[in-house]
Amino acid sequence: MSADTESAPAPATARNGFDRFFEITKRGSTLSREIRGGVVTFFTMAYIVVLNPLILAGGADADGAKLPITALAAGTALVAGVITILMGLVGRFPLALAAGLGVNALVAYEIAPEMTWADAMGLVVIEGVLILILVLTGLRTAVFRAVPTQLKTAIGVGIGLFLMIIGLVDAGFVHRIPDAANTTVPVELGLGGKLVTWPTFVFVIGLLFTLVLFVRKVKGAILIGILGTTVLAIIVEAVAKLGPAVVKPGGWSLNVPALPDQIIDTPDLSLIGKFNVLDSWTTAGPLVVLMFVFTLLVTDFFDTMGTMVAVGQEGDLLDSEGMPPRTREILLVDSVAAVAGGAASVSSNTSYVESASGVGEGARTGVASLVTGALFLVAMFFAPLVKVVPFEAASTALVVVGFLMITTVRQIDWSDYTIAVPAFLTVTLMPFTYSISNGIGAGIITYVVLKLATGRAREIHPLMYGIAVLFVLYFARGPLESWLL
């Protein structure tokens, strides 16, 4: 399913110790593919170095304090780089990690206002430690195995559609209608139902360019597409002087593709270690703390499961049970990432589904993660240069990879409604609710209910009952919070 279709005349045995350690030849890859895949993954998720600071800095804690954007940017890049490299060395899987979107908004706008920033980040550390314990005891891996293979397939398909909608929204091809409450249609094409902006034009041309390269089986099609679209965006910005969309409609979604005046910047790491795991229990109260930790835990726990499946499917790396290689090690690193994100005051770090873009470019091993992680560390010093690539260029990769991932939908037995209906809900609710966890939760609850209703309880793994109950509590956390708090 890779855009890179170079033949693999690899010998049956590894060429050297490096090859043997990362299983490059064994997984049918090459070093050049891994490097290209790592670079593509970086470009498709480099936006987090800019976006995470904007989200976290937009919130204020109970004392009215705000976090400095420069320190957030440096910390975001540092943790993403170190943890992604750790994933490459320990998990040996082409999976990159960074501050989790959604979780960072929860931290900034719901948790921090109830306590100090140090307390809020302390809760993230607690959540990460709890997940780490679940991994070390084997429970997290057991839960992963308990989910039916076809439901795991549906998770990958749903994430493919999720990637596509992320790409379309980030590129401005799809917009939320401002007065959506007064209409039955919540989103629209472009602005006012028309593709009238230059950034959208750049995205469309870049997407078509990438698709042509992909269909013609050009090596490095996705990476070439991102770089080529960025060049076009720089030219358009130089001529039209559009600026960011937050300043005026029709501008660029986040990064303005202009060559920066300053290329190198000294990173500010002053937020490292600014967390407190104890004071929140007295400041906000045990019930508030437990509810927040539970929400963080469920979101991180199942988002990662979905991402692992999606990336593994894209690279044809799953076994007959839908499990990727070195599952325990992958989950272990992901758990450490949550702790590291809280300890660095940049919110919980988690596996990124954008990693599938690098796999679509040919990555199959942890070498790609080493490359992506190294580029994040470099980004600490070259943050102005990272900002040159706009959403409109990086999003082309997400749409192409989204297409590749939904092709596995044919593996689902649509004639068996007890799996087809849960699969359908899993696939559709991910993009429609902008949440991987929501899709997984709806699928698992429906699967258990339908199997019980049709007298097929023996087909349900015992752990699935507990998972279903957990998701019922997750979805009911709004009423529970209002009742308990």
Side-chain angles (χ1 to χ4, degrees):
M1 287 186 289
S2 169
D4 185 347
T5 58
E6 63 179 289
S7 59
T13 57
R15 295 182 176 89
N16 50 49
F18 183 84
D19 187 343
R20 189 178 307 109
F21 181 80
F22 287 104
E23 300 182 335
I24 298 173
T25 298
K26 182 179 179 180
R27 297 187 189 180
S29 186
T30 64
L31 185 59
S32 62
R33 286 183 182 183
E34 297 302 313
I35 293 173
R36 284 202 306 272
V39 172
V40 166
T41 294
F42 172 75
F43 276 120
T44 55
M45 59 184 288
Y47 66 84
I48 195 62
V49 178
V50 179
L51 188 56
N52 190 52
L54 292 179
I55 292 173
L56 289 176
D61 66 11
D63 297 329
K66 289 180 174 287
L67 297 176
I69 288 184
T70 53
L72 285 170
T76 298
L78 174 64
V79 176
V82 172
I83 295 297
T84 300
I85 289 174
L86 189 64
M87 177 63 76
L89 293 173
V90 177
R92 302 177 203 171
F93 195 66
L95 195 61
L97 302 92
L101 290 174
V103 174
N104 54 9
L106 173 67
V107 172
Y109 300 110
E110 292 188 41
I111 298 179
E114 300 290 334
M115 55 195 75
T116 67
W117 279 111
D119 295 339
M121 294 303 171
L123 294 190
V124 175
V125 171
I126 292 172
E127 173 255 336
V129 171
L130 290 176
I131 291 184
L132 183 59
I133 292 172
L134 293 177
V135 174
L136 294 175
T137 57
L139 181 59
R140 197 177 187 190
T141 305
V143 168
F144 196 99
R145 291 186 181 278
V147 178
T149 301
Q150 290 194 62
L151 204 51
K152 290 176 184 172
T153 299
I155 290 170
V157 174
I159 290 177
L161 289 177
F162 187 28
L163 275 179
M164 182 198 69
I165 193 66
I166 289 174
L168 295 179
V169 170
D170 285 351
F173 190 85
V174 171
H175 272 90
R176 183 179 66 85
I177 300 176
D179 60 345
N182 301 321
T183 178
T184 57
V185 182
V187 294
E188 64 183 3
L189 179 71
L191 288 175
K194 300 176 182 178
L195 300 176
V196 295
T197 68
W198 280 110
T200 305
F201 166 78
V202 169
F203 167 73
V204 171
I205 296 300
L207 178 59
L208 292 174
F209 172 59
T210 306
L211 288 172
V212 169
L213 294 175
F214 170 75
V215 172
R216 292 181 63 86
K217 302 178 180 178
V218 174
K219 296 178 183 178
I222 296 176
L223 178 57
I224 295 172
I226 293 174
L227 297 178
T229 308
T230 299
V231 171
L232 175 61
I234 292 173
I235 295 172
V236 169
E237 172 61 21
V239 174
K241 306 293 183 184
L242 302 172
V246 294
V247 175
K248 61 179 180 179
W252 304 95
S253 295
L254 180 62
N255 293 349
V256 177
L259 294 177
D261 297 328
Q262 181 182 6
I263 294 178
I264 300 177
D265 196 10
T266 303
D268 177 1
L269 301 178
S270 60
L271 289 177
I272 305 297
K274 303 291 185 180
F275 69 96
N276 188 316
V277 298
L278 297 177
D279 287 356
S280 58
W281 296 86
T282 54
T283 303
L287 284 176
V288 173
V289 169
L290 289 173
M291 190 61 69
F292 282 145
V293 170
F294 172 75
T295 303
L296 288 170
L297 183 70
V298 173
T299 302
D300 266 356
F301 192 105
F302 289 99
D303 271 15
T304 298
M305 186 180 79
T307 301
M308 283 173 56
V309 170
V311 172
Q313 275 183 354
E314 174 59 20
D316 195 22
L317 296 173
L318 303 182
D319 61 21
S320 59
E321 296 181 339
M323 302 285 288
R326 300 179 67 81
T327 296
R328 187 174 185 273
E329 288 80 0
I330 294 170
L331 293 174
L332 184 67
V333 175
D334 183 83
S335 305
V336 172
V339 178
S345 299
V346 295
S347 183
S348 178
N349 273 231
T350 188
S351 303
Y352 259 58
V353 71
E354 282 89 340
S355 304
S357 62
V359 175
E361 192 57 54
R364 296 292 183 273
T365 77
V367 176
S369 296
L370 299 184
V371 173
T372 303
L375 289 174
F376 267 117
L377 294 182
V378 170
M380 282 198 305
F381 301 91
F382 291 86
L385 200 57
V386 172
K387 297 177 185 178
V388 172
V389 181
F391 269 172
E392 289 76 5
S395 294
T396 57
L398 301 183
V399 176
V400 174
V401 173
F403 158 73
L404 291 172
M405 292 175 67
I406 68 169
T407 58
T408 59
V409 71
R410 61 183 177 271
Q411 298 175 13
I412 298 171
D413 183 4
W414 296 102
S415 64
D416 181 357
Y417 289 174
T418 63
I419 190 64
V421 173
F424 168 74
L425 292 175
T426 299
V427 168
T428 54
L429 288 182
M430 282 188 195
F432 291 158
T433 66
Y434 243 65
S435 168
I436 295 174
S437 292
N438 288 347
I440 294 175
I444 287 177
I445 292 173
T446 309
Y447 174 82
V448 171
V449 169
L450 294 183
K451 288 293 185 183
L452 288 174
T454 54
R456 298 163 65 178
R458 287 182 297 179
E459 298 178 17
I460 305 173
H461 191 288
L463 278 176
M464 289 290 284
Y465 293 106
I467 301 170
V469 170
L470 197 64
F471 268 116
V472 169
L473 294 173
Y474 173 75
F475 287 124
R477 66 190 186 278
L480 287 174
E481 286 175 4
S482 61
W483 177 49
L484 294 174
L485 309 180

